[in-house]
Amino acid sequence: MNYLWAFLIGGVLCAVGQLFIDLTKLTPARILTGYVVAGVVLSAVGLYAPLAEFAGAGASVPLLGFGHLLAKGVRTAVAEKGAIGILTGGLTAASAGITASLVCGVVCSLVGKSHDQN
Amino acid sequence: MKMTAQEYARRVQKAGPHSPLLADCLWAFCVGGGICLLGEGLRQLFLRQGADAEAAGTLTSCTLILLSAVLTTLGWYQKLAAKAGAGSLVPITGFANAVVSAAIEFKAEGRVTGTGAKMFLIAGPVIVYGTLAAVVYGAVLWLLGASAL
């Protein structure tokens, strides 16, 4: 069941993104930014944690899950450390994903060849 | 060549203008769902290896990022993106693809002002506004907590 819900929820979240691309002509950067901010908001109002519980990777793999991770991090840090947690919580929780992406970017730029865009 | 966000958008939805909305959404649904299904498989694997839920989630994201980086370097992820649109954009693999493809495309402009700077073309705004939203949320939580004392 875990797998079915991961596929369905993940698929629906992506299909919604496709609607934004086709109907609004929003650029990918705007869609990704919107998804992350929406993830923070959905997590803040308590809607995303139940979805993540239920859909597993279907909720955590789309960028909404990245926003949820930021919100969860800041929530934990404020509860544990007080005001300083406002500044440290978000990026601490997201650090692994950001670091992995940046390291991959630099390493791949050493071996990768530019592809002809036309 | 230069790849602006608009240019990237054009490439991502190259299949878009001629195909109907329903077909686009079906592609996005199947590919996006498939990537999440792969993520769930990895997550269950890490859970079985004894990782707690948080560590399993982190390991899953990092594995998908690595996989996306390899496929982007080979030029395969872009081919998938041409068909899948948001299905390959919205998952964390799309974020990794945006970072890695810019890092490779702009390496001709140098290690620092090319790769180092242009990696953040799409990742930058995502991190900036995500962090900003988290800080606003944290400040609200803190103020609510402080006023309850």
Side-chain angles (χ1 to χ4, degrees):
Chain A
M1 276 315 266
N2 276 332
Y3 293 101
L4 180 66
W5 284 119
F7 179 78
L8 290 178
I9 300 292
V12 166
L13 294 177
C14 292
V16 170
Q18 188 63 44
L19 286 178
F20 281 115
I21 289 181
D22 282 358
L23 299 178
T24 67
K25 305 289 171 204
L26 282 173
T27 58
R30 283 170 197 272
I31 288 173
L32 291 187
T33 305
Y35 261 66
V36 169
V37 173
V40 173
V41 173
L42 289 173
S43 180
V45 298
L47 288 175
Y48 214 74
L51 186 70
E53 191 66 40
F54 163 79
S60 65
V61 169
L63 268 239
L64 284 168
F66 199 65
H68 173 53
L69 198 64
L70 287 166
K72 215 166 57 173
V74 86
R75 194 156 54 223
T76 310
V78 167
E80 285 174 0
K81 303 192 190 100
I84 192 76
I86 300 170
L87 296 178
T88 60
L91 284 185
T92 302
S95 57
I98 296 174
T99 304
S101 301
L102 298 185
V103 170
C104 283
V106 174
V107 171
C108 291
S109 79
L110 298 178
V111 294
K113 297 251 180 300
S114 296
H115 297 94
D116 188 1
Q117 299 307 310
N118 304 310
Chain B
M1 79 173 260
K2 288 221 176 218
M3 184 183 63
T4 62
Q6 286 78 10
E7 172 68 14
Y8 184 80
R10 193 183 61 73
R11 279 169 46 210
V12 164
Q13 57 166 19
K14 209 181 271 175
H18 304 293
S19 51
L21 187 63
L22 189 67
D24 279 3
C25 285
L26 209 59
W27 264 102
F29 177 81
C30 291
V31 173
I35 292 171
C36 292
L37 186 63
L38 174 64
E40 184 63 21
L42 289 167
R43 199 174 75 95
Q44 295 294 340
L45 188 73
F46 291 128
L47 285 173
R48 270 204 298 280
Q49 304 269 318
D52 60 41
E54 197 183 314
T58 305
L59 286 168
T60 300
S61 296
C62 292
T63 309
L64 288 175
I65 287 167
L66 190 67
L67 196 63
S68 169
V70 171
L71 294 180
T72 299
T73 308
L74 294 171
W76 296 355
Y77 200 85
Q78 293 83 331
K79 286 183 185 144
L80 180 71
K83 265 278 180 229
S88 61
L89 172 73
V90 169
I92 189 89
T93 50
F95 178 80
N97 168 255
V99 172
V100 173
S101 62
I104 295 172
E105 289 312 322
F106 288 97
K107 75 186 220 182
E109 292 182 19
R111 294 264 163 254
V112 175
T113 51
T115 296
K118 299 294 169 54
M119 276 162 84
F120 286 94
L121 264 179
I122 290 179
V126 169
I127 295 170
V128 167
Y129 290 104
T131 304
L132 189 69
V135 165
V136 170
Y137 175 46
V140 169
L141 281 178
W142 182 74
L143 287 171
L144 288 175
S147 64
L149 290 176

